[in-house]
Amino acid sequence: MKNTIKVMFLAVTLMCTAFTMAQSTVTGTVMDADLNSPLPTASVVEKGTTNGTTSDFDGNFTLKTKSPSGVIEISYVGYGKISMPFSGDTDLGNLSLISNNSLDEIVIVGSGVIDLASGRKTPVAVSTIKAAEIQEKAGNWDLPEVLKSTPSVQNVKGGGFGDGQMFLRGFDQTNTAFLLNGQPINGMEDGKMYWSNWSGVMDVANAIQVQRGLGASKLAISSVGGTVNIVTKTIDRKEGGFVQQMIGNDDYTKTTAYFSTGVNEKGWSFSGLLGHWQGDGYVDYTAGQGQTYFFSVGYQPNEKNAFNFLLTGAPQWHAAAGRGSIGTFLENGRKYNDWNESGVNSSNTIDKGGIYPGGRNIYHKPVANLSWDYTINDNSSLSTVLYGSLGRGAFASAIINDGVGYARGSYNNHNWFGLVSNYNNKISETLNLNFGADVRTYNGVHFRGVNEFIGGQTSLSANSTFLGDYTITDTYGGINPWGMVFNPNTDANQRLGYNYEETITYYGVFGQLEYSKDAVSAFFQGAISNQDHQVTNEYSYDVATDSDKVSNFGFNVKAGAAYAINNYNKVFVNAGYYSRQPFHDNLYDNVRNSVDLIVPSVENEKITGLEAGYQFGSDKISANFNVYHTIWDNRTDPSNNGENQESATYESYQTQGIKQVHSGVELEVFTRPFNNLKVNGFLSLGDWKYEGNASRRTFDGDGNEIGTQTEIDVDGLNVGGAAKVTGGINLDYEFLPRFSFDTAFNWYNDQHSEGSFSKDAPPLSLPSYTTVDAGLSYKMLVGENGSNSLQFRVNVNNLFDEVYLESVFGSTEASINDSENYKGINKSNNGRFGYGRTWNASIRYNF
């Protein structure tokens, strides 16, 4: 009996030992293939069993298997499943999942200088829109229209093609940093963004990431509202392309073709895109047309090095829309253009068949960059991007007397070159170091000239202090943006009105140290920079005259920490302080006609940002909740009275010493109750006010100071321009295989008018409004094994034709006579109504 017990005990021991030895430990990190970012809560299952786990917030997982070898299946809702074999204890490394909506396997080059939030474990308030959604919902719109379904973003269209602007947390796009593959693209002189110059970016974008507030950027860009990162196509891993045709309201048409060779055996790859668009414009007399081109060549000689050259541009012209009174729009309809009849100089201006109905923007801004990604070793890498752009263009209007005259262009040309480099070093398992440099040089050339002569006129008499009396006989560019680039007017004796150049040199260094261990991560980031400014005038002086050179030093510091409570819950807090140099245009007095500095000089702006957040993620629902508080002190505001600059009553203002405080909360929720249904939503609640006193100066249309107000009380006034309360619900339902319907509901409330810094005439409270957009998509598989596809897409914006005031410029209070008001707003105020129902439809062949 004793022997039997011993044998049984030995057998059980051996069985337990065998079972224990049969188990293995499998580890890995689940990543998004497109953005190279972690996928939290991904499902990791041992095939053929119910044994599984999920990835944590950093995409990491550890699984104790039941068998010594087998297959691990990794899946995530909305992504393709992958299977990986294992044998014994195995580290699978990074496992990239490809989105079901992704049409291309892409490679991000220059990744070290593209500050995507995924590059840092300590989170920020961020929303990411990927290629498939951009492709479907962009239609014939600019970038801000696609971003309006994210928290604290509002898009104001502006009337003409590419004339809209975006607000982020109540800050206009002048104070939001826009980066194209890591390259800053805001105007160097004033921070402005002109979407007409970037009309092709939607065609080549792989992803767009909106980082609200402090963001993850390491550059010394000191954005106030946030940072928008645009990541374009560069290298495709496989051969393929597409051809697309789109049509839309008001005779809009767009044709686009793209092809990529993929990466060949020798490491070379080529891709290119060409497109053409044209249309009459939603607003009367705002026709436009343009082209898009994109060319990329990549070379990967070995595993350590990758090079890529990219060239892209979007030459275009479009007629502009004037800003009229609310009453005028109500009388004539939302499509009315108040430049239809009177133009710039009334009787001295002609329509010329719609070519210059009041003003035409003509511009071409080719951008090129060369990137080098160098993997030094397993722990360190270097990314460098060298870039340049040559902007050429004008805002042109026709000046005519008795049928004879010329088209006068106000030209803004630039030569812009820069370099961004970033070194990354994994010091240890817990510490990671980044540091690098950002250098830019910019030369802006501004003058007036003749676009073309009209009605038989062949010359124009002119006079300047620099030249005395002279005659202009040359034309520059016409209405062709390609001609702007290849016909560079460099002769001072062929310019009129004003002629000056601005030179800006920017150089900065940045660094970041991040700590990460288990559930805790923290970072410290800093940047310093210097800007040199100088103006040269060749019009208002006897000889070419240079201004004094101005040098301004600035810096920013940011720090934050995060704690992952478990695989589903994470909290973070970030803080930052910026000392931001003033824009170039705020440094000089009457820059068109003099080289004098403003006295007293404009000092650095001071920005303090605080934010905290909570993230929740599971396989069916995820949510982000953010709280922010931004203090923007000592800022300078350039503004105007909303009239055309050529008008005799036009005035511009420079208000200094402004302090404004923006606080708010944001909630963003993503759900997938069923595999074929996505329901997402967001809600933003903000409170944006001015504090204290400021001072304001007044100028006429030629830049001459005509009045000074030493101090104005702005304390408690509302910040106008954007809605403080926004919300939205987005639904995407695939009711049949590859046949889906989507809709987006957006609500805007608590918005105020622009153009007032006075308690005697405070900003007006505007009526709230809602819009509903809808889309229908179908994808037909064709070719051998369904390797190719035909995609059909229809978008309808403002489906229910809502009539709403998108923006108001003015502060005239409502009349006691209600017939003189519109929804509580005096009709004499200038304003702009949002577009009515619009649509576009496209067919796309992917191969």
Side-chain angles (χ1 to χ4, degrees), residues 663-689:
S663 301
V665 297
E666 300 162 337
L667 175 65
E668 192 172 20
V669 179
F670 306 90
T671 71
R672 192 146 191 164
F674 309 104
N675 285 339
N676 62 340
L677 176 64
K678 290 189 295 185
V679 182
N680 304 328
F682 69 91
L683 179 65
S684 307
L685 307 176
D687 182 31
W688 312 325
K689 295 286 179 64

Coordinates of all heavy atoms in Angstrom, one line a residue, residues 663-689:
S663 N -10.5 79.0 -19.8 CA -10.6 77.8 -19.0 C -11.7 76.9 -19.6 O -12.7 77.5 -20.2 CB -10.9 78.2 -17.6 OG -9.9 79.0 -17.0
G664 N -11.7 75.6 -19.3 CA -12.7 74.8 -19.8 C -12.5 73.3 -19.5 O -11.5 72.9 -19.0
V665 N -13.5 72.6 -19.9 CA -13.5 71.1 -19.8 C -13.9 70.5 -21.1 O -14.7 71.1 -21.9 CB -14.4 70.6 -18.6 CG1 -14.0 71.1 -17.3 CG2 -15.9 71.0 -18.9
E666 N -13.4 69.3 -21.4 CA -13.6 68.6 -22.7 C -13.9 67.2 -22.4 O -13.1 66.5 -21.6 CB -12.5 68.8 -23.6 CG -12.1 70.2 -24.0 CD -10.7 70.4 -24.5 OE1 -9.9 69.5 -24.3 OE2 -10.5 71.4 -25.2
L667 N -14.9 66.6 -23.0 CA -15.1 65.2 -22.9 C -15.3 64.6 -24.3 O -16.0 65.2 -25.2 CB -16.4 64.9 -22.2 CG -16.9 63.5 -22.1 CD1 -15.9 62.6 -21.3 CD2 -18.3 63.4 -21.5
E668 N -14.6 63.5 -24.6 CA -14.6 62.9 -25.9 C -14.8 61.4 -25.6 O -14.1 60.8 -24.8 CB -13.3 63.1 -26.6 CG -13.3 62.7 -28.1 CD -12.0 63.2 -28.8 OE1 -11.0 63.4 -28.1 OE2 -12.1 63.3 -30.0
V669 N -15.8 60.8 -26.3 CA -16.2 59.4 -26.0 C -16.3 58.6 -27.3 O -16.8 59.1 -28.3 CB -17.6 59.3 -25.3 CG1 -18.0 57.8 -25.1 CG2 -17.6 60.1 -24.0
F670 N -15.7 57.4 -27.4 CA -15.7 56.6 -28.5 C -16.3 55.3 -28.1 O -15.8 54.6 -27.2 CB -14.2 56.3 -29.0 CG -13.5 57.6 -29.3 CD1 -12.7 58.2 -28.3 CD2 -13.5 58.2 -30.5 CE1 -12.0 59.3 -28.5 CE2 -12.8 59.4 -30.8 CZ -12.0 59.9 -29.8
T671 N -17.3 54.8 -28.9 CA -17.9 53.6 -28.6 C -18.1 52.7 -29.8 O -18.2 53.3 -30.9 CB -19.3 53.8 -27.9 OG1 -20.2 54.2 -29.0 CG2 -19.3 54.7 -26.8
R672 N -18.1 51.4 -29.6 CA -18.3 50.5 -30.7 C -19.2 49.4 -30.2 O -18.8 48.3 -29.9 CB -17.0 49.9 -31.3 CG -17.3 49.2 -32.6 CD -16.1 49.3 -33.5 NE -16.3 48.9 -34.9 CZ -15.6 49.1 -35.9 NH1 -14.6 49.9 -35.8 NH2 -15.9 48.7 -37.1
P673 N -20.5 49.7 -30.0 CA -21.4 48.7 -29.4 C -21.5 47.4 -30.2 O -21.8 46.3 -29.7 CB -22.8 49.4 -29.4 CG -22.7 50.5 -30.3 CD -21.2 50.9 -30.4
F674 N -21.4 47.5 -31.6 CA -21.3 46.3 -32.4 C -20.2 46.5 -33.4 O -19.7 47.6 -33.6 CB -22.7 46.2 -33.2 CG -23.9 46.2 -32.3 CD1 -24.7 47.3 -32.2 CD2 -24.2 45.1 -31.5 CE1 -25.8 47.4 -31.4 CE2 -25.3 45.2 -30.7 CZ -26.1 46.3 -30.6
N675 N -19.8 45.4 -34.0 CA -18.7 45.5 -35.0 C -19.0 46.4 -36.2 O -18.0 47.0 -36.8 CB -18.3 44.1 -35.5 CG -17.5 43.3 -34.4 OD1 -17.0 43.9 -33.5 ND2 -17.5 42.0 -34.5
N676 N -20.2 46.6 -36.5 CA -20.6 47.4 -37.7 C -21.2 48.7 -37.3 O -21.7 49.4 -38.1 CB -21.6 46.6 -38.5 CG -22.9 46.4 -37.8 OD1 -23.0 46.4 -36.5 ND2 -24.0 46.1 -38.5
L677 N -21.0 49.1 -36.0 CA -21.6 50.4 -35.6 C -20.6 51.2 -34.7 O -20.1 50.6 -33.7 CB -22.9 50.2 -34.8 CG -23.5 51.5 -34.2 CD1 -23.9 52.5 -35.3 CD2 -24.7 51.1 -33.3
K678 N -20.3 52.4 -35.0 CA -19.5 53.3 -34.2 C -20.3 54.5 -33.8 O -20.9 55.1 -34.7 CB -18.2 53.7 -34.9 CG -17.2 52.6 -35.1 CD -15.9 53.2 -35.6 CE -16.0 53.8 -37.0 NZ -14.7 54.2 -37.6
V679 N -20.3 54.9 -32.6 CA -21.0 56.1 -32.1 C -20.0 56.8 -31.2 O -19.6 56.4 -30.2 CB -22.3 55.8 -31.3 CG1 -22.9 57.1 -30.9 CG2 -23.2 54.9 -32.1
N680 N -19.6 58.0 -31.7 CA -18.7 58.9 -30.9 C -19.3 60.2 -30.6 O -20.2 60.6 -31.3 CB -17.4 59.1 -31.8 CG -16.7 57.8 -32.2 OD1 -16.8 56.8 -31.5 ND2 -16.1 57.8 -33.3
G681 N -18.9 60.8 -29.6 CA -19.4 62.1 -29.2 C -18.4 63.0 -28.4 O -17.4 62.5 -27.9
F682 N -18.7 64.3 -28.4 CA -17.8 65.2 -27.6 C -18.6 66.3 -27.1 O -19.7 66.7 -27.6 CB -16.7 65.7 -28.4 CG -17.1 66.6 -29.5 CD1 -17.1 68.0 -29.3 CD2 -17.4 66.2 -30.8 CE1 -17.4 68.9 -30.3 CE2 -17.8 67.0 -31.8 CZ -17.8 68.4 -31.6
L683 N -18.1 66.9 -26.0 CA -18.7 68.1 -25.4 C -17.6 69.0 -24.8 O -16.7 68.5 -24.1 CB -19.7 67.8 -24.3 CG -20.4 68.9 -23.6 CD1 -21.3 69.7 -24.6 CD2 -21.2 68.4 -22.4
S684 N -17.6 70.3 -25.2 CA -16.6 71.2 -24.7 C -17.4 72.4 -24.0 O -18.3 73.0 -24.6 CB -15.8 71.8 -25.9 OG -15.2 70.7 -26.6
L685 N -16.9 72.7 -22.8 CA -17.5 73.9 -22.1 C -16.4 74.8 -21.8 O -15.4 74.4 -21.0 CB -18.2 73.4 -20.8 CG -19.3 72.3 -21.0 CD1 -19.8 71.9 -19.6 CD2 -20.4 72.8 -21.9
G686 N -16.4 76.0 -22.3 CA -15.3 77.0 -22.0 C -15.8 78.3 -21.5 O -17.0 78.7 -21.6
D687 N -14.9 79.0 -20.9 CA -15.1 80.4 -20.4 C -13.9 81.2 -20.7 O -12.8 81.0 -20.2 CB -15.4 80.4 -18.9 CG -15.7 81.8 -18.4 OD1 -16.3 82.6 -19.2 OD2 -15.4 82.1 -17.2
W688 N -14.1 82.2 -21.7 CA -12.9 83.0 -22.2 C -13.2 84.4 -22.0 O -14.2 85.0 -22.5 CB -12.7 82.7 -23.6 CG -12.7 81.2 -24.0 CD1 -12.2 80.2 -23.2 CD2 -13.2 80.6 -25.1 NE1 -12.4 79.0 -23.7 CE2 -13.0 79.2 -25.0 CE3 -13.8 81.0 -26.3 CZ2 -13.4 78.2 -25.9 CZ3 -14.2 80.1 -27.3 CH2 -14.0 78.7 -27.1
K689 N -12.4 85.1 -21.2 CA -12.6 86.5 -20.8 C -11.3 87.3 -20.9 O -10.2 86.7 -20.7 CB -13.1 86.6 -19.4 CG -14.5 86.0 -19.2 CD -15.6 86.9 -19.8 CE -17.0 86.3 -19.6 NZ -17.4 86.2 -18.2

